[in-house]
Amino acid sequence: EPEVTQTPSHQVTQMGQEVILRCVPISNHLYFYWYRQILGQKVEFLVSFYNNEISEKSEIFDDQFSVERPDGSNFTLKIRSTKLEDSAMYFCASSRTGGRLGELFFGEGSRLTVL
Amino acid sequence: GENVEQHPSTLSVQEGDSAVIKCTYSDSASNYFPWYKQELGKRPQLIIDIRSNVGEKKDQRIAVTLNKTAKHFSLHITETQPEDSAVYFCAALGDDYKLSFGAGTTVTVRA
């Protein structure tokens, strides 16, 4: 069964460093998302991406965050200058149809620890 | 945007008993309501979903009900088993096409 894959599974970084989290969505999916889950809290929407551009972003997704689809398969989340409060599990998700039709398929997550 | 409230935050049940988790939402335009099960350190996994043209949906021991007028939906797990122990999240797809999650319910099934 096709899956969303994410790398790395865990990254430890120093405050102020740049981090890139990578995702490979399911191949025939068109809508891509990043969600964040701080330990013990709920899953929070960060950004959605469709047709090579951001379609929606939350207030969490400030200028320090960016997303890119550099080729036909990868979808990346970059945090330019990490802060302690960026420590969380980051989930990539994809959907075939998006909008009100598509269920989301989540990756296993990338745990980011900022020291 | 959509605001999803989920109750209770923790739920402990005896094996074999039923568990019920309730959620409310704010955006009357929402019409897709998935439920996710998340085991410790793992990704949320979709266990059941319901769309607004349906009032109830059942899949083996799991059922979900939706009341669009009252803007609430519930997850029912019958004949609970130890492997049902996990955190359960409800979610609603709002008019802005973002999936908004509830705060989660930690379910513990006592053997």
Side-chain angles (χ1 to χ4, degrees):
Chain A
E1 189 176 326
E3 279 193 338
V4 177
T5 57
Q6 288 185 243
T7 54
S9 56
H10 188 192
Q11 180 153 0
V12 181
T13 190
Q14 294 291 325
M15 193 167 57
Q17 294 296 303
E18 176 182 283
V19 158
I20 297 176
L21 306 178
R22 291 183 168 79
C23 170
V24 179
I26 294 173
S27 62
N28 64 346
H29 284 191
L30 302 175
Y31 297 80
F32 314 116
Y33 309 84
W34 283 100
Y35 283 79
R36 179 183 83 174
Q37 186 177 32
I38 294 170
L39 189 64
Q41 296 186 25
K42 68 174 162 182
V43 179
E44 300 174 290
F45 170 81
L46 291 179
V47 67
S48 59
F49 191 87
Y50 170 70
N51 202 26
N52 283 321
E53 61 182 18
I54 290 174
S55 47
E56 193 77 39
K57 59 183 180 179
S58 73
E59 60 276 6
I60 301 168
F61 195 88
D62 61 23
D63 292 344
Q64 292 300 311
F65 290 87
S66 62
V67 289
E68 200 177 36
R69 188 155 163 83
D71 52 43
S73 60
N74 289 283
F75 178 53
T76 62
L77 174 70
K78 183 193 290 186
I79 309 174
R80 222 176 312 280
S81 176
T82 50
K83 304 187 287 283
L84 295 175
E85 53 265 38
D86 293 328
S87 294
M89 182 75 97
Y90 289 80
F91 291 103
C92 174
S94 70
S95 169
R96 188 173 60 84
T97 56
R100 298 174 181 218
L101 301 178
E103 77 177 61
L104 262 60
F105 292 82
F106 284 89
E108 290 280 5
S110 293
R111 180 169 297 285
L112 176 65
T113 303
V114 182
L115 302 176
Chain B
E2 176 67 275
N3 182 41
V4 178
E5 301 280 342
Q6 182 172 349
H7 300 280
S9 56
T10 61
L11 182 59
S12 179
V13 295
Q14 191 68 39
E15 184 177 357
D17 287 351
S18 294
V20 180
I21 304 169
K22 298 183 179 183
C23 288
T24 60
Y25 61 98
S26 59
D27 184 355
S28 56
S30 294
N31 71 354
Y32 175 65
F33 308 93
W35 286 87
Y36 290 87
K37 177 182 179 182
Q38 186 178 32
E39 295 174 358
L40 192 64
K42 297 193 174 180
R43 72 178 117 188
Q45 292 206 301
L46 181 72
I47 54 171
I48 195 167
D49 56 14
I50 191 166
R51 301 186 190 278
S52 62
N53 56 346
V54 174
E56 184 174 349
K57 184 176 176 180
K58 193 171 180 183
D59 182 5
Q60 298 182 340
R61 296 187 297 109
I62 296 172
V64 59
T65 59
L66 171 65
N67 182 327
K68 280 221 78 178
T69 305
K71 289 190 283 190
H72 65 70
F73 55 114
S74 302
L75 178 73
H76 304 250
I77 308 172
T78 57
E79 300 169 28
T80 52
Q81 298 167 6
E83 53 265 36
D84 294 329
S85 296
V87 180
Y88 291 80
F89 291 95
C90 63
L93 195 66
D95 197 35
D96 51 10
Y97 300 157
K98 289 184 298 190
L99 200 59
S100 296
F101 285 79
T105 298
T106 301
V107 173
T108 304
V109 180
R110 306 186 306 272

